[in-house]
Amino acid sequence: MKKKPISDERLNRIIKYLAIALLTLAVIFMATLFSDVWNWLFKAIKTVVVPVVFAYFLALIMHPLLKFLEKKGVGPRWLSLAIVFILMLAIIFSFFYFIIPAVVKEITAFFNDDFQNIIAYLTSDELRNSFIFGTDIYDKIYNYVAGTDILNTWLDALIPTFISRITDTLIPILTAVAIIPIMLLYYLLDYEMIGDRMRSVIPQKHEKRLADLGSKMNQTVGAYLRGQLILMIAIGAVATIVYKLIGLKYYFAFGLLVGVTNIIPYFGSIIAAIPPIVYAAISGGSPGPLLVLAVNIGLQFIEGNIFQPIIMAKQLEMHPLIIIISILFFGSLFGTFGVVFASPLAATIRVFYNFFREGRLLKEKEKLPAEADVGKDGKT
């Protein structure tokens, strides 16, 4: 049998896809020729995007409290906004006045008391004799490190790099710290007006659907951020109390680490568990590393089975693999900011995806009755 020739419609589609692919490759090739320009442009865009998005996320967290005060009759808007800002400043002041000094005190005590003991332990025969892989493997590792002088080389390279990074990031950080409160103030003061202005540039036939999209996005991301903030405080407080009860030294610093890193899904619990376990193993006192490990497993159980269902009632409902990929992707784009806010950014993308998917399905449903009517008319 002879093969059917390719239809003109299919041939045109193939040519169109090939043209798009070639045009994309040409654009990528041209972009590589001007990589310095693109890097400069991306750095400028990132400098603008990070404070804007950060202020937007803060507005989503604080706006429900602002609306609550207004419903209770606290007005005008500037008065309720002033109360919200004063409350926020009081929380920040309390954190730096009560929590930070305790953590600084523990860190200072660590370097004054335990740091030298840890260095002595790492260079003593005690570690060699108790090395899990045996003394032969320990000797090979020790001789390699000593022979290549890798530690001194690493430190020599680390210090200039650290100073350079601090210099490069200090000005953007100070700029963001100065700009974010001002942007947040205008976000909250003109919250509804900003939404109306954004809707005014949308074609009227799409205005309702896009307004629903913005509302869903704000609800999803805002609920996640508020729930995550409460969850961080709750799990950090519980970790601090439990660490103190089992007699772990520096329980304030380790508990704060549990709370702060909890904002990073899946990886945060691992990051927070490593320092106290390593410290318990090296210090050799009470509690032992196995007890600290068991406590961290218990903390994750409490978070996943008690705090998460109660506090995070509106979950992102995303597959763990998607969240991990979003952490890697946004982390590579925006650094620490991207890692911390990877989940709400991924949630925003999911809301957009569901919005366009629902729109496509709606169009298909609208098309089916029309096609059915055409078929009926054809028969008659």
Side-chain angles (χ1 to χ4, degrees):
M1 294 179 63
K2 292 183 178 180
K3 293 183 178 180
K4 293 182 179 180
I6 299 176
S7 63
D8 292 340
E9 182 181 355
R10 188 176 181 184
L11 183 61
N12 290 335
R13 191 182 300 117
I14 293 172
I15 294 173
K16 181 177 71 173
Y17 289 151
L18 286 174
I20 292 173
L22 291 173
L23 182 62
T24 303
L25 292 174
V27 170
I28 294 173
F29 174 74
M30 291 297 293
T32 58
L33 297 179
F34 302 96
S35 58
D36 293 338
V37 176
W38 289 111
N39 289 335
W40 171 80
L41 182 62
F42 177 75
K43 187 176 180 181
I45 292 173
K46 186 169 69 171
T47 303
V48 174
V49 167
V50 169
V52 168
V53 173
F54 197 84
Y56 166 70
F57 285 157
L58 287 177
L60 291 181
I61 294 172
M62 299 170 64
H63 185 254
L65 178 58
L66 190 67
K67 296 299 292 183
F68 173 79
L69 292 175
E70 289 181 339
K71 285 182 180 179
K72 294 298 181 179
V74 180
R77 170 62 64 90
W78 64 265
L79 180 60
S80 56
L81 183 59
I83 294 173
V84 171
F85 260 77
I86 291 171
L87 181 61
M88 182 184 69
L89 291 175
I91 294 172
I92 294 173
F93 175 80
S94 300
F95 178 78
F96 280 96
Y97 187 80
F98 294 105
I99 306 297
I100 294 300
V103 173
V104 171
K105 182 179 178 181
E106 289 188 348
I107 293 174
T108 304
F110 168 76
F111 281 101
N112 291 336
D113 301 334
D114 291 317
F115 185 70
Q116 297 301 324
N117 295 333
I118 291 173
I119 296 297
Y121 171 77
L122 293 175
T123 57
S124 67
D125 291 335
E126 183 180 354
L127 176 62
R128 178 178 180 274
N129 296 330
S130 61
F131 192 62
I132 189 172
F133 298 109
T135 56
D136 292 338
I137 301 296
Y138 176 86
D139 290 337
K140 290 181 180 179
I141 295 174
Y142 181 83
N143 291 332
Y144 172 77
V145 173
T148 56
D149 202 21
I150 190 172
L151 288 177
N152 290 332
T153 304
W154 178 72
L155 288 174
D156 291 340
L158 176 65
I159 293 173
T161 303
F162 178 76
I163 294 174
S164 176
R165 289 288 179 89
I166 289 294
T167 305
D168 292 339
T169 58
L170 186 60
I171 294 177
I173 288 174
L174 292 176
T175 304
V177 168
I179 290 176
I180 286 174
I182 300 173
M183 296 184 65
L184 178 61
L185 177 66
Y186 285 111
Y187 262 136
L188 293 174
L189 190 61
D190 300 321
Y191 193 88
E192 290 79 11
M193 188 190 72
I194 292 173
D196 293 338
R197 290 287 177 86
M198 293 178 67
R199 283 193 292 270
S200 66
V201 300
I202 301 172
Q204 192 170 3
K205 63 178 181 179
H206 300 299
E207 183 177 346
K208 185 179 182 304
R209 292 192 65 238
L210 291 177
D212 292 339
L213 170 64
S215 177
K216 288 179 181 178
M217 186 173 66
N218 288 344
Q219 290 175 3
T220 301
V221 179
Y224 170 80
L225 291 173
R226 289 188 295 273
Q228 189 64 49
L229 184 62
I230 297 172
L231 185 61
M232 287 170 58
I233 297 172
I235 194 66
V238 170
T240 302
I241 294 170
V242 174
Y243 284 155
K244 181 175 174 58
L245 290 176
I246 65 173
L248 181 65
K249 202 174 179 182
Y250 313 122
Y251 57 88
F252 237 124
F254 290 140
L256 180 64
L257 182 64
V258 171
V260 171
T261 57
N262 190 73
I263 199 172
I264 306 174
Y266 308 110
F267 297 109
S269 58
I270 299 173
I271 295 171
I274 291 174
I277 293 173
V278 171
Y279 172 75
I282 293 177
S283 63
S286 178
L290 293 179
L291 178 57
V292 178
L293 176 62
V295 166
N296 279 273
I297 294 174
L299 289 173
Q300 295 312 307
F301 177 83
I302 292 172
E303 179 199 0
N305 295 276
I306 299 176
F307 288 161
Q308 284 278 6
I310 295 175
I311 298 174
M312 300 289 286
K314 296 180 180 179
Q315 280 293 337
L316 296 181
E317 297 179 356
M318 288 190 298
H319 194 278
L321 186 60
I322 300 298
I323 295 179
I324 292 172
I325 291 173
S326 67
I327 291 172
L328 297 174
F329 177 74
F330 290 112
S332 65
L333 285 180
F334 301 109
T336 305
F337 176 87
V339 171
V340 171
F341 291 101
S343 294
L345 289 171
T348 303
I349 294 174
R350 182 176 67 89
V351 171
F352 273 101
Y353 170 76
N354 289 336
F355 170 78
F356 289 111
R357 183 170 175 270
E358 289 171 2
R360 189 177 69 251
L361 293 175
L362 185 62
K363 286 182 179 179
E364 291 176 356
K365 287 181 180 179
E366 292 174 351
K367 190 184 296 184
L368 287 175
E371 291 177 352
D373 293 339
V374 171
K376 290 178 182 179
D377 294 339
K379 287 181 180 179
T380 56

